[in-house]
Amino acid sequence: MLEQFHQQNEQQRQENPMMQLLCSKQSGVLLLGHGSRREEANQEWEQIWQMFRHMHPQLTVQRGYVEFFHPSLEEGVAILLQQENIKTVIIVPLFLTTGKHLYQHIPEKIRRLEQQYSGIQFILTEHIGPDSLLLQIIEKRIRTTGLVEQTEGE
């Protein structure tokens, strides 16, 4: 699957000015998932992490989980900070909605990380939430039923 993804996104992998800026600012990205008791669910998430890493090989990218799987958020940060001279950790929560983890648990964990790693800046991005890109995915899933005709360019 990664090979297919790599081929489909070759044009997107061209030098991206925003990502180049991140590299020059000694930033690392941590993709944060929930984690699951089901191994299959965790493997899907690992696949997303691998796809992002392949799309942006110039970035230092790690992953972490809130619960049930490793590395945890704290372990992921520790791994990330072992890389190069990371001064900023950008945490991207891959959550669709704002639940207790997003408004309470994750900010608490980040406050503890800020105390543990003084001098490191932690930035928590917005969660996925309502985004027009999700609508495109919903439409794509509906088209896979075969009940809707594909239009040119799809």
Side-chain angles (χ1 to χ4, degrees):
M1 175 149 188
L2 279 178
E3 185 177 317
Q4 179 185 7
F5 171 82
H6 194 59
Q7 291 170 353
Q8 290 173 347
N9 292 287
E10 192 62 35
Q11 289 179 334
Q12 293 177 8
R13 294 184 64 231
Q14 300 301 320
E15 297 303 320
N16 181 324
M18 179 186 71
M19 295 303 178
Q20 287 298 328
L21 183 61
L22 274 180
C23 291
S24 68
K25 295 198 179 272
Q26 298 174 317
S27 298
V29 175
L30 186 130
L31 301 180
L32 183 63
H34 184 277
S36 175
R37 290 182 179 101
R38 290 188 63 241
E39 181 64 28
E40 297 83 7
N42 294 321
Q43 291 309 315
E44 287 179 326
W45 206 93
E46 291 281 307
Q47 211 170 25
I48 293 168
W49 170 63
Q50 291 289 350
M51 290 165 68
F52 187 81
R53 287 181 56 207
H54 281 85
M55 181 178 265
H56 300 290
Q58 72 279 24
L59 293 179
T60 303
V61 181
Q62 189 47 250
R63 85 284 195 207
Y65 298 92
V66 176
E67 58 187 9
F68 303 124
F69 200 63
H70 291 276
S72 66
L73 168 60
E74 297 85 350
E75 292 165 344
V77 166
I79 294 166
L80 197 59
L81 293 177
Q82 292 173 0
Q83 317 282 322
E84 305 162 24
N85 292 314
I86 302 294
K87 301 293 182 211
T88 302
V89 176
I90 301 168
I91 300 170
V92 182
L94 300 181
F95 290 72
L96 290 177
T97 60
T98 308
K100 195 167 186 175
H101 286 314
L102 277 176
Y103 74 80
Q104 182 181 354
H105 299 145
I106 295 168
E108 288 172 354
K109 289 174 181 272
I110 291 173
R111 280 192 289 280
R112 286 193 297 269
L113 287 166
E114 288 170 333
Q115 292 171 354
Q116 182 179 354
Y117 298 104
S118 61
I120 302 296
Q121 179 184 20
F122 291 89
I123 299 172
L124 178 63
T125 71
E126 199 173 328
H127 66 292
I128 293 173
D131 190 301
S132 61
L133 292 173
L134 284 176
L135 302 178
Q136 293 173 24
I137 294 170
I138 293 167
E139 290 171 354
K140 180 179 177 182
R141 296 300 183 258
I142 292 169
R143 283 192 301 275
T144 65
T145 66
L147 299 175
V148 180
E149 288 188 30
Q150 305 259 342
T151 60
E152 281 189 40
E154 293 186 299

